[in-house]
Amino acid sequence: MKINKVEPKDFGSEIFLLKDISKKQIEEHLKLYQGYVKKYNEINEKIASLTDEDYAAANATYSNIRELKVTMTFAWGGIINHEIYFSHLGGKSRAPSGTLLKQIKTDFGSLDNFKKDLKATGIAARGWVWTCWNYQEKRLFNYLSDAHNFYALWRIKPIMVMDVYEHAYFLDFGSNRTNYIDAFLNNLNWDVVEKNFVKL
Ligand code: FE
């Protein structure tokens, strides 16, 4: 079986120059992301080296192939979610505009309403908030997830991702997730989000 080796991305230097989110917090967070990349590659190699005995022993309660294929979803989610998250932190853009702002107003009434929904969804989630375009409903919606691989959805595409795991903010904010979410929004590069939206 073909093995795709994933390399961790470099998110540039601006990621370490955030307001209210420390360099140390980002450094430690990046280590977790790099860990998902490492484990994803390890899982891929193990899948490629499954033996005929492993294939014959496939079982839905426990089997090597089951464990590898389940944990792969966790590792892949850990990679992709973090890559989107880090890609739009830092930089100079601080407000949505253009077609994205228009869509936010159509779907949420106002930017303030969007932020209210995003913040509450972030408090209600145990892992992630995904602002997504729903291709079927043709609207933006803030979805939540409790882990990298929970509550999978189809015919949607994330344009913005917010990490609300404790590891994303405890060093700087303790248990005050509300202040972290405010800091996240203050550091959000809306240019990147807008590009993700326009590319749909
Ligand atoms: Fe994280």
Side-chain angles (χ1 to χ4, degrees), residues 71-140:
T71 52
M72 168 180 257
T73 68
F74 190 80
W76 183 246
I79 293 171
I80 299 302
N81 283 308
H82 282 106
E83 286 183 352
I84 302 172
Y85 173 76
F86 289 123
S87 75
H88 54 40
L89 275 182
K92 290 193 172 61
S93 169
R94 291 290 177 264
S97 60
T99 54
L100 176 58
L101 182 61
K102 203 172 154 214
Q103 193 65 47
I104 286 172
K105 284 180 177 170
T106 299
D107 295 331
F108 294 89
S110 66
L111 182 59
D112 281 348
N113 278 350
F114 166 78
K115 287 183 178 173
K116 183 174 77 179
D117 185 80
L118 182 83
K119 287 179 188 184
T121 308
I123 297 295
R126 297 173 189 165
W128 295 99
V129 177
W130 303 317
T131 300
C132 296
W133 178 249
N134 184 313
Y135 286 96
Q136 191 130 335
E137 297 188 321
K138 300 196 182 344
R139 67 163 172 165
L140 289 170

Side-chain angles (χ1 to χ4, degrees), residues 160-186:
M160 195 267 280
V161 162
M162 180 167 69
D163 193 337
V164 294
Y165 274 96
E166 282 81 2
H167 69 239
Y169 61 88
F170 247 63
L171 277 178
D172 289 336
F173 298 96
S175 61
N176 195 333
R177 191 185 295 183
T178 303
N179 284 4
Y180 158 68
I181 292 174
D182 285 339
F184 169 83
L185 280 169
N186 287 335

